[in-house]
Amino acid sequence: MAELQALLSQAQAEFAAAPTAAELENAKARFLGKTGRVTELLKSLGSLSVDEKKRQGAEINQLKGAIEAALQARRDALAAAELDAQLKAQALDVTLPGRQRGMGGLHPVSRAIERIESIFGSMGFDVAEGPEIETDWMSFTALNNPENHPARSMQDTFYVDMKDAQGRWLNLRPHTSPMQVRYARAHAERHAAAAADGSMPEIRVIAPGRTYRVDSDATHSPMFHQCEGLWIGQAISFKDLKVVFTEFLREFFEDSGLQTRFRPSYFPFTEPSAEIDMMFASGPLKGRWLEVAGSGQVHPNVVRNYGLDPEHWIGFAFGMGPDRLAMLRYGVSDLRLFFDGDLRFLSQFR
Ligand code: PHE
């Protein structure tokens, strides 16, 4: 029947033209839906004679089968195309160069601290670390710096408006010197045992770490690093300090002709006290005295706060700035570059 044949062609054409599954379902409804063309044809059979019903009914059912087959074929084609597109969208281009993990490196200040630790380590110094939030007593009082004494204002300390469990005021430590006291007290039992058997061990330690002061310019940062040094024994003298520190600087800067001088100064926790200056024997800074550390013989009051008897224990302490040493070693002119976290600067030290 030509009419049915035309209907089939039309359905096939509309299915083929449907670009999406949703539109295909709309097209299906136009032919096979409740009011679709084929459904309408079937309904019209009711008015025919039994014979005609049979004949035309069979033909229409055949047409319906053919349209359903065309519909399924188009459904399959659309699903396959969709899968294809999805696979294409997710395709990996295996010819692209891989994205590699960046090569990290140690921060120049960390490298300077590691160098300091290894040089002092080779001279028998232990390495200790301590808290950056300190008590008032540790930062000042124990270091012979009484409450309300003007020497406290030598350091523009960040005070914390908070007390610890023992009711002591807190601050961000303005120097690593509290570590002298913490380390000595932490080893009190060892010292007592040694004193009892007459062996009298020494305290020989460095304590690097972060310190804080209200200060910020090209050579000062509110957060900076210090490294404390302490050597206490029965007969440790200023001479030992000079030898140890000069040797350290010569090794650190790989300059065997480097010179030091000890310039009288004042610190509440040392007496006598000295500022340590150094001068390179070669290089662009040759011939200029550069201040690198504070130092001195530990004050008897401080030795007492270590829990030790100043009649028997004597020695020296020093405090230096690893940031400054790193600036000198790597030729960096602005301290702030170390702490900006700019990879263009930092990656030069990898
Ligand atoms: N703590 C001192 C400072 O911050 C340095 C120092 C340490 C001086 C040890 C003498 C002895 O400036």
Side-chain angles (χ1 to χ4, degrees), residues 75-335:
R75 274 184 184 148
D76 291 347
L78 280 177
E82 195 187 337
L83 182 63
D84 224 39
Q86 209 175 353
L87 287 175
K88 268 204 195 100
Q90 294 171 352
L92 291 178
D93 182 349
V94 292
T95 64
L96 278 178
R99 248 176 285 173
Q100 314 214 338
R101 224 185 264 189
M103 260 292 232
L106 274 184
H107 191 281
V109 172
S110 299
R111 285 176 51 168
I113 291 175
E114 285 202 345
R115 235 180 126 67
I116 292 168
E117 289 177 358
S118 92
I119 296 168
F120 276 103
S122 75
M123 296 195 266
F125 281 74
D126 194 6
V127 177
E129 278 184 34
E132 292 165 30
I133 299 176
E134 257 304 0
T135 63
D136 202 61
W137 192 81
M138 283 286 183
S139 288
F140 298 109
T141 318
L143 297 167
N144 198 36
N145 205 331
E147 266 168 59
N148 305 318
H149 193 282
R152 288 201 178 192
S153 60
M154 282 169 74
Q155 292 152 349
D156 301 303
T157 310
F158 284 107
Y159 287 96
V160 181
D161 191 11
M162 200 189 287
K163 291 181 179 175
D164 70 2
Q166 283 78 48
R168 299 171 301 192
W169 286 106
L170 298 174
N171 56 64
L172 299 184
R173 66 177 180 189
H175 52 184
T176 44
S177 298
M179 283 306 293
Q180 294 179 24
V181 186
R182 283 189 178 275
Y183 185 86
R185 289 165 86 95
H187 291 84
E189 276 180 34
R190 176 164 68 84
H191 301 141
D197 72 18
S199 62
M200 289 286 275
E202 296 178 336
I203 296 174
R204 214 189 299 185
V205 65
I206 59 165
R210 278 182 280 272
T211 46
Y212 303 84
R213 290 186 202 177
V214 186
D215 221 348
S216 186
D217 59 39
T219 53
H220 296 90
S221 150
M223 187 289 299
F224 61 107
H225 296 83
Q226 275 200 346
C227 182
E228 198 76 9
L230 180 65
W231 189 356
I232 298 281
Q234 280 178 285
I236 306 300
S237 72
F238 228 94
K239 176 191 69 189
D240 298 301
L241 167 61
K242 286 182 147 181
V243 171
V244 163
F245 209 83
T246 305
E247 193 49 37
F248 158 70
L249 289 173
R250 287 179 179 166
E251 292 232 7
F252 186 90
F253 291 109
E254 299 170 276
D255 179 347
S256 58
L258 181 149
Q259 282 183 277
T260 52
R261 77 175 176 195
F262 290 71
R263 195 159 34 83
S265 184
Y266 170 77
F267 297 101
F269 31 93
T270 47
E271 179 62 37
S273 302
E275 226 59 77
I276 306 176
D277 299 339
M278 65 165 222
M279 188 163 66
F280 288 115
S282 59
L285 292 169
K286 174 185 168 181
R288 269 177 55 192
W289 285 112
L290 307 161
E291 187 182 314
V292 287
S295 68
Q297 181 176 299
V298 179
H299 194 288
N301 287 346
V302 178
V303 175
R304 213 167 277 124
N305 288 329
Y306 293 168
L308 298 172
D309 179 359
E311 291 298 322
H312 297 295
W313 295 76
I314 189 165
F316 64 78
F318 59 80
M320 62 178 154
D323 307 326
R324 180 140 171 75
L325 296 193
M327 285 172 79
L328 290 170
R329 182 165 165 85
Y330 302 121
V332 174
S333 58
D334 191 328
L335 175 70

